[in-house]
Amino acid sequence: MNLCRDGILRYGTLAVVAVAIVLPFLTGSMFFLNLLCLLLIFIIFASAWNLLAYSGQGSLGHAAFFGIGAYASTLIAAQSGISPYITIFLGAAVAAFIGVLIGLTCVRLKEWFLAMVTFGFAIIVQTLTVSILASSTGGWDGIASPRLISPDVPGYQLIEYYSILVITIASILAIWWIMKSRVGLAFSAIRENELEARASGINPVRYRLLAFAMSAYLAGVAGALEIHHIGYITPEIYNVDISFWPVTYVIFGGLGTLAGPIVGTIVLTFIWESLKMAGLTFARYVIVGVLLILVIIFLPKGLVDLPNRLRQWWQVRKKPVPDVAPVTE
Amino acid sequence: MVDIGIILQILFWGIYAGCIYILLATGLNLIFGVMKVVNFAHGEFLMIGAYITATIFLLTGINPYAIILLSMLVLVGIGAVVERLCFRPILGTSKLNEIFLSIGLIYIFQNATAMIWSDEWQSIKSPYQGITVPIGSLNVPLDYIIIMVLTAAILCILYLFLKKTVLGREMRATSQNRKGAMLVGINVERMDVLSFGIGCALAAAAGTLWVVSGQVFNPYMGSIPAVKAFAIIILGGLGSIPGAIIGGLIYGIAENGAAFLLGGVWKDAVSFVILIVVLVLKPTGLFGESGE
């Protein structure tokens, strides 16, 4: 049974990757290709958030790392002329460094204190960007960011798409490897019971910082990719919205699972874009909000748990209803 | 050398801004005390209160200060529904779930409001606009004084309700020990609905006061005051209403001081700087118990 499920998973993953490779050739529409790029970027971002949540820390300010990675990469690329392909990883390193700093203030905090500190941190970073750092960041107006591939290159969109795809797959493989390694075990031990984790020799502070660093790094990669893809950056990248999206995607897909952020991002983006085509604007958010609440209440493990739930439901239904003897005096 | 008049002015603005935070934080404190629930969407109730007030005022022209009662009543209803449909099913599951659920509520309320009233910034003019009362060396707008008096009155009524009535006593009992309260026959689920409703009503009052003071509002105005209110109850101590009052005043004054000294963009950031500094020094909050 397990082996069979492993097989399904392996072929399923291969199928998804194959579809991702072939998809651009099927449509050829630039709008669709752009959408796919953003989808992949948000898969990285949601997975990064998920990795932090995997260690029991729910951040409400991941836009900070997304934005720091983007700004750092843009500034390095613009000032030194290094290719964005390299600065993406340098910018993300800056985000990881800041992530460790904010992690240091958070490691001793309870869940919702941490949520607030991270939320506030995104606002502080935005304020710094438009005040003290305005001379280099362009303040509220933002600055142009070097493109990943110069638009002069023929077929640059396709090259960009495949670059992003490769980075996405690499990030997910990295997260998969982290989750199944000793570090991942330590993360889930801390999440489930910090006291017991400590008793078995895990230093929670060190692992929490590690989770912060890795999560901020990947979020920084995602942010830098998005900005080099769009070609322009403004402080709106730190908005509350950007912090909430990865949370929404992950909860939708399934918190703490590898597939959760991927499934959640794909499904929600699909719903989102369909609603957009139906001409809805604000109502889209209302629908997503309602869906989110329904998922939290009725599917606490997210969409990835849906097959299991359906199977259970099916088995319960198939079982004959036991005869209940009428209660008599 | 800073002019003493300016300092007084900042203090006064701070107290006025603090009033709104106090109402918001007291409501949150009440909900947190009874249900131990973290509702990040609390600011949306302030926003709805603001819109109800503005709409009724623009339609009928009733004195906006009288609308406060109506907006509080409506929000008691909305709060009760939200508690029953959203928070009760997830009570007792992970704390993170409450935060995630709040995000869903934020999406719903903000954008439903934007659908009805558009997402433009709006403001209304109070009937007392332009009237100032000279106190010492500075001229204080009459609106600010009314707002402070109203806040004080609402807090007194809440205090009397909690201390002198049977319901209030039952609520305090539930907040002190939920199991114990159940054992002596208190319907704790009713207390949940009640505390959530009252908390929302306080947020609505804050929304009304926000609007009548002439501040601009839009559907997205609520999230930052809500998180600040959380920061205030962390500063002032969970479940402590005097703490919420002191914390609210500190925040109001600190914000206006920062806006004056560092520039307007720092208004929001400074509250989070305070929060982070406090939490770094003392992870359970200034007066917090080790409990939650």
Side-chain angles (χ1 to χ4, degrees), chain A residues 300-316:
Chain A
K301 288 180 187 157
L303 281 181
V304 288
D305 191 40
L306 197 60
N308 283 334
R309 291 289 288 269
L310 285 178
R311 196 178 307 131
Q312 268 174 17
W313 176 76
W314 185 243
Q315 277 164 359
V316 169

Side-chain angles (χ1 to χ4, degrees), chain A residues 52-104:
Chain A
L52 189 63
Y54 193 70
S55 72
Q57 309 178 92
S59 149
L60 283 187
H62 246 49
F65 307 124
F66 193 72
I68 290 172
Y71 265 110
S73 173
T74 299
L75 291 177
I76 296 171
Q79 314 239 310
S80 67
I82 304 175
S83 150
Y85 275 104
I86 297 160
T87 60
I88 285 171
F89 302 103
L90 300 177
V94 176
F97 175 70
I98 309 270
V100 171
L101 289 188
I102 195 69
L104 272 175

Side-chain angles (χ1 to χ4, degrees), chain A residues 22-237:
Chain A
V22 179
L23 218 48
F25 294 107
L26 294 181
T27 64
S29 127
M30 281 307 129
F31 167 76
F32 187 66
L33 198 61
N34 179 39
L35 200 68
L36 280 179
C37 288
L38 293 179
L39 178 74
L40 289 176
I41 290 165
F42 266 81
I43 286 178
I44 304 179
F45 190 26
S47 303
W49 186 88
N50 186 42
L51 185 62
L52 189 63
Y54 193 70
S55 72
Q57 309 178 92
S59 149
L60 283 187
H62 246 49
F65 307 124
F66 193 72
I68 290 172
Y71 265 110
S73 173
T74 299
L75 291 177
I76 296 171
Q79 314 239 310
S80 67
I82 304 175
S83 150
Y85 275 104
I86 297 160
T87 60
I88 285 171
F89 302 103
L90 300 177
V94 176
F97 175 70
I98 309 270
V100 171
L101 289 188
I102 195 69
L104 272 175
T105 64
C106 287
V107 280
R108 292 187 300 163
L109 299 180
K110 301 265 176 201
E111 293 102 343
W112 64 281
F113 284 18
L114 186 141
M116 281 179 29
V117 168
T118 46
F119 181 96
F121 178 64
I123 291 173
I124 294 174
V125 174
Q126 189 176 44
T127 308
L128 286 174
T129 307
V130 298
S131 59
I132 294 173
L133 304 173
S135 55
S136 47
T137 60
W140 281 113
D141 297 331
I143 43 171
S145 170
R147 299 290 301 247
L148 207 52
I149 301 280
S150 152
D152 307 331
V153 180
Y156 73 101
Q157 284 114 326
L158 273 180
I159 304 176
E160 218 168 74
Y161 171 75
Y162 286 117
S163 313
I164 295 174
L165 183 64
V166 167
I167 296 175
T168 310
I169 293 174
S171 312
I172 295 195
L173 283 179
I175 292 174
W176 172 71
W177 184 76
I178 293 167
M179 276 183 172
K180 78 177 183 72
S181 70
R182 284 183 66 89
V183 177
L185 273 178
F187 284 172
S188 48
I190 294 168
R191 181 191 63 215
E192 294 304 331
N193 190 329
E194 192 176 330
L195 206 66
E196 282 174 17
R198 209 178 293 180
S200 51
I202 296 168
N203 179 352
V205 172
R206 197 195 298 161
Y207 280 102
R208 285 200 163 150
L209 284 181
L210 191 61
F212 247 104
M214 294 192 293
S215 176
Y217 187 85
L218 288 171
V221 168
L225 276 178
E226 162 155 334
I227 280 326
H228 290 303
H229 170 69
I230 296 173
Y232 204 82
I233 183 167
T234 68
E236 278 170 19
I237 198 166

Side-chain angles (χ1 to χ4, degrees), chain B residues 4-289:
Chain B
I4 193 84
I6 291 178
I7 294 179
L8 276 176
Q9 189 119 9
I10 290 172
L11 274 179
F12 205 83
W13 281 347
I15 294 172
Y16 147 74
C19 282
I20 286 170
Y21 292 142
I22 289 170
L23 288 174
L24 212 54
T26 310
L28 271 178
N29 232 338
L30 209 62
I31 298 174
F32 187 85
V34 172
M35 297 176 69
K36 310 287 179 256
V37 149
V38 178
N39 176 20
F40 270 91
H42 202 65
E44 310 320 313
F45 301 121
L46 173 139
M47 182 266 297
I48 296 172
Y51 270 93
I52 290 174
T53 311
T55 310
I56 295 178
F57 175 69
L58 291 176
L59 286 178
T60 63
I62 303 174
N63 187 324
Y65 290 105
I67 304 173
I68 199 168
L69 280 176
L70 186 75
S71 78
M72 286 171 84
L73 267 181
V74 173
L75 261 290
V76 168
I78 295 180
V81 172
V82 166
E83 194 278 333
R84 187 68 195 81
L85 289 183
C86 301
F87 281 100
R88 193 175 300 174
I90 60 152
L91 266 188
T93 60
S94 129
K95 268 263 162 296
L96 284 176
N97 263 349
E98 294 156 10
I99 298 172
F100 303 150
L101 194 109
S102 311
I103 293 181
L105 288 175
I106 290 174
Y107 281 149
I108 295 174
F109 282 120
Q110 286 186 348
N111 294 283
T113 309
M115 276 165 77
I116 302 173
W117 284 288
S118 93
D119 61 347
E120 304 282 310
W121 287 99
Q122 300 181 21
S123 69
I124 62 167
K125 287 192 170 64
S126 151
Y128 308 124
Q129 204 196 24
I131 305 175
T132 56
V133 181
I135 298 180
S137 64
L138 73 161
N139 283 326
V140 179
L142 181 60
D143 279 318
Y144 285 22
I145 296 175
I146 301 179
I147 286 169
M148 289 172 197
V149 172
L150 266 179
T151 308
I154 291 172
L155 290 175
C156 286
I157 295 170
L158 181 72
Y159 179 82
L160 288 179
F161 168 76
L162 287 176
K163 289 281 172 186
K164 302 287 178 192
T165 65
V166 177
L167 267 181
R169 208 158 46 223
E170 288 182 355
M171 264 174 87
R172 281 188 293 138
T174 314
S175 117
Q176 276 165 13
N177 188 336
R178 203 177 168 87
K179 282 211 181 89
M182 274 174 173
L183 284 176
V184 295
I186 295 171
N187 183 346
V188 290
E189 295 197 327
R190 212 176 63 164
M191 291 304 125
D192 286 350
V193 177
L194 195 67
S195 63
F196 210 93
I198 296 177
C200 291
L202 290 174
T208 303
L209 297 182
W210 179 295
V211 167
V212 288
S213 66
Q215 291 198 66
V216 290
F217 54 96
N218 81 351
Y220 311 110
M221 69 190 247
S223 4
I224 288 179
V227 183
K228 279 186 199 159
F230 267 113
I232 288 165
I233 63 175
I234 287 178
L235 276 178
L238 298 173
S240 147
I241 289 178
I245 296 173
I246 295 169
L249 291 179
I250 292 177
Y251 257 63
I253 293 168
E255 260 183 40
N256 280 287
F260 173 72
L261 292 173
L262 301 169
V265 283
W266 279 92
K267 199 165 170 273
D268 291 332
V270 74
S271 11
F272 296 111
V273 173
I274 298 177
L275 171 74
I276 291 175
V277 169
V278 168
L279 285 179
V280 166
L281 298 176
K282 202 162 176 302
T284 49
L286 275 186
F287 310 98
E289 325 97 80

